[in-house]
């Protein structure tokens, strides 16, 4: 629609007016209504059989005034910067039509131009919806719990790390923090993209802007209001609009010299044929004005931002944030993926993997786990939490423990149902005069070779069993990798800093080409560089501090954002708000679709423009048809880009 992108992300603005708080389209709606009314009235008056009257020009004058003012304003703004904008082409064409006695054709041009502006501004506002919705999620006030037990309403901007706030059912959480009391389910869909509410209890993180559903939570704030996950998301989306894809940067450089060339070509068509070929001046000027219309690269200018902004908006709605059009473009070129293991492919926290009783009896193993979970229940150690969680997942009722005692470096012990119970290592077993059976020793040795942590449990003078804990694949990880294979990712590798045995045991059997373990951060970077030297376009997916250098070096850095460290999120090109590996596939799919749509738009706009120019030069084209052909192609390109708003994760 006859415009050049401004400095914000390939977002076309050339002939847009001042942004209103509600968005771009309200002023364009008014302009479109005035232009439409004036055009209809002007055309009807033209058809009247009465003698021509100056009054017939008034409706068309309204069209030129309403439709031409914004064109002239934006053309003048770019001209003051030493640039000729596409708005200047449209304005010159409309004025030229009036000058040769064809004001209706000029009015039709301004009407279609105004319609294009209105529809495009509506489309661009739709791409801003995700950002606007995010801003409305952040509460303005919080219920602070004071040291004396009283409550006070405080502005969110005044919250500081260490403050405690209370969130009741149905309220949005006002700040990032950790639950210190209570339990509930929290709907995090608006921030992380998770489709179902997640359980949150003591020790679990919560994020500003998420919705507490059915319990009262007491949260200790751990971030300033300006540094919450939600605030960072908003900044990422805003910054993304300032980054352009390579195609868009080329079009930006191309627009000014092309516009100058069109004006020169128009001048040649207007003045050379009457002198050298004997054309009538009217015919030459008419064809020159038609050339101004058909040669305006409106469709080409909108071809890239309509697709990129739509794709980024779709990603933002589903928890995938691209930091710019350049990164979206590169997501569509990825041919290989390097994954970190811990916290990326795996859960990242120890889980109960296996139980082995001293007696070959499944009932006995359940009893062993039940008593061990009881004695571990007061402990905050990560292995203790794994045992307790495993017992609860198995539907076991955990009895209370008394006389609990933590033994640093060895384990814990206490009284469960009237008798001593302990959980710990071989050193604690020796203190309890408990010998480990040979069969159990063999099992312990085997599990440790797999890189798992093993603890023993028993009573006085007796070992009752053992537990293996370790990391585990995230639910759906294998399916996500298979989908990536189906999408055309030809190489999948794992770059981990963990022990080789631990990595191999967790990843055994899933579709991975190469596993490299025990890597330091510089070694991860070296492996990414080696892959790219072999011709692969590598996406690095990670979540930790040790992944940040590789994220920065890769073709595309992808951070698992919700659980990722700040440095990983800040370094990456794409942030996955939910710890869901399916979002990796979604991000790459968006990139491929966006590249495909951009190519379609560019070739369609250039090809159609070339056809119209050739017809104008060699045959001649009625100005109304030229206007419809030009603006129609612009609208088709914009609509084709907007299709990406409908893309969603598989």
């Amino acid at each position: 629609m006859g415009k050049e992108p401004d400095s914000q992300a390939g977002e076309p603005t050339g002939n847009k007016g001042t942004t209103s708080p509600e968005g771009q389209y309200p002023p364009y709606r008014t302009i479109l209504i005035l232009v439409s009314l004036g055009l209809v009235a002007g055309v009807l008056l033209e058809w009247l059989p009465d003698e021509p009257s100056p009054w017939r020009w008034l409706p068309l004058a309204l069209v030129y005034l309403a439709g031409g003012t914004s064109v002239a304003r934006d053309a003048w703004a770019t001209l003051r910067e030493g640039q000729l904008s596409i708005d200047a082409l449209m304005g010159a064409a409309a004025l030229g039509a009036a000058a040769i006695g064809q004001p209706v054709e000029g009015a039709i041009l301004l009407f279609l131009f105004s319609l294009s502006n209105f529809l495009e501004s509506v489309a661009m506002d739709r791409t801003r919806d995700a950002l606007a919705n995010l801003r409305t999620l952040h509460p303005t006030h919080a219920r602070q719990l004071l040291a004396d037990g009283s409550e006070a309403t405080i502005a969110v901007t005044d919250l500081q790390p260490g403050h405690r706030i209370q969130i009741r059912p149905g309220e949005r959480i006002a700040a990032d923090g950790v639950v210190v009391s209570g339990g509930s389910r929290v709907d995090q869909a608006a921030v992380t993209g998770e489709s179902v509410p997640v359980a949150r209890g003591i020790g679990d993180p919560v994020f500003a802007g998420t919705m507490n559903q059915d319990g009262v939570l007491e949260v200790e704030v751990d971030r300033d209001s300006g540094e919450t996950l939600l605030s960072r998301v908003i900044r990422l989306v805003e910054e993304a609009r300032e980054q352009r894809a390579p195609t868009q940067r080329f079009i930006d450089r191309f627009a000014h010299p092309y516009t100058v060339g069109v004006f020169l070509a128009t001048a040649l068509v207007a003045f050379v044929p009457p002198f050298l070929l004997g054309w009538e001046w009217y015919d030459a000027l008419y064809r020159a004005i038609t050339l101004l219309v058909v040669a305006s690269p409106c469709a080409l200018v909108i071809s890239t931002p309509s697709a990129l902004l739509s794709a980024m908006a779709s990603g933002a709605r589903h928890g995938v944030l691209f930091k710019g059009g350049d990164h979206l473009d590169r997501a569509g070129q990825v041919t290989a993926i390097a994954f970190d293991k811990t916290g990326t492919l795996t859960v990242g926290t120890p889980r109960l993997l296996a139980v082995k009783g001293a007696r070959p009896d499944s009932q006995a193993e359940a009893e062993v786990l039940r008593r061990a979970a009881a004695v571990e229940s007061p402990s905050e150690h990560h292995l203790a939490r794994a045992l307790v969680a495993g017992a609860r997942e198995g539907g076991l009722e955990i009895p209370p423990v008394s006389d609990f005692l933590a033994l640093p470096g060895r384990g814990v012990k206490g009284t469960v149902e009237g008798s001593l119970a302990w959980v710990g290592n071989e050193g604690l077993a020796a203190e309890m005069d408990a010998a480990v059976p040979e069969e159990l020793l063999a099992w312990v040795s085997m599990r440790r070779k797999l890189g798992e942590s093993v603890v023993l449990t028993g009573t006085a003078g007796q070992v009752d069993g053992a537990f293996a804990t370790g990391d585990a694949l995230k639910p759906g990880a294998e399916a996500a990798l298979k989908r990536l294979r189906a999408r055309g990712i030809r190489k999948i590798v794992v770059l981990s800093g963990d022990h080789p045995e631990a990595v191999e045991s967790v990843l055994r059997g899933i579709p991975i080409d190469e596993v490299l373990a025990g890597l330091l951060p510089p070694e991860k970077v070296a492996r990414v560089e080696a892959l790219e030297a072999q011709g692969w376009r590598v996406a690095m997916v990670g979540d930790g501090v040790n992944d940040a250098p590789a994220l920065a070096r890769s073709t595309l850095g992808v951070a698992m954002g919700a659980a990722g460290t700040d440095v990983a999120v800040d370094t990456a090109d794409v942030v996955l708000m939910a710890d869901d590996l399916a979002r990796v596939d979604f991000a790459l799919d968006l990139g491929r679709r966006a590249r495909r749509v951009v190519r379609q738009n560019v070739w369609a706009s250039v090809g159609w423009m070339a056809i119209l120019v050739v017809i104008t030069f060699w045959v001649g084209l009625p100005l109304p048809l030229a206007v419809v052909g030009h603006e129609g192609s612009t609208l088709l390109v914009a609509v084709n880009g907007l299709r990406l708003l409908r893309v969603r994760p598989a």
Side-chain angles (χ1 to χ4, degrees), residues 249 315 375 460 463 540 587 597:
R249 290 196 293 268
V375 77
V463 174
M540 175 68 195
V597 170

Side-chain angles (χ1 to χ4, degrees), residues 52-78:
S53 166
W55 291 104
R56 292 187 176 187
W57 289 82
L58 286 180
L60 297 180
L62 173 65
V63 174
Y64 276 79
L65 181 64
T69 300
S70 62
V71 174
R73 183 188 62 237
D74 293 310
W76 174 247
T78 54

Side-chain angles (χ1 to χ4, degrees), residues 1 119-120 123-124 126-127 299 302-311 590 592-605 632-647:
M1 278 108 346
L119 293 178
E120 184 194 343
M124 293 308 171
R126 288 185 63 189
T127 66
I302 195 62
S303 62
T304 299
S306 67
L308 296 185
L309 289 174
S310 297
L590 266 179
R592 290 194 182 95
R593 289 173 183 260
R595 282 176 59 82
R596 186 162 59 245
V597 170
V598 166
R599 285 197 299 269
Q600 292 169 356
N601 284 354
V602 168
W603 284 110
S605 58
S633 67
T634 303
L635 292 176
L636 287 175
V637 163
V639 170
N640 191 40
L642 291 176
R643 290 189 300 118
L644 293 172
L645 284 170
R646 302 171 60 186
V647 179

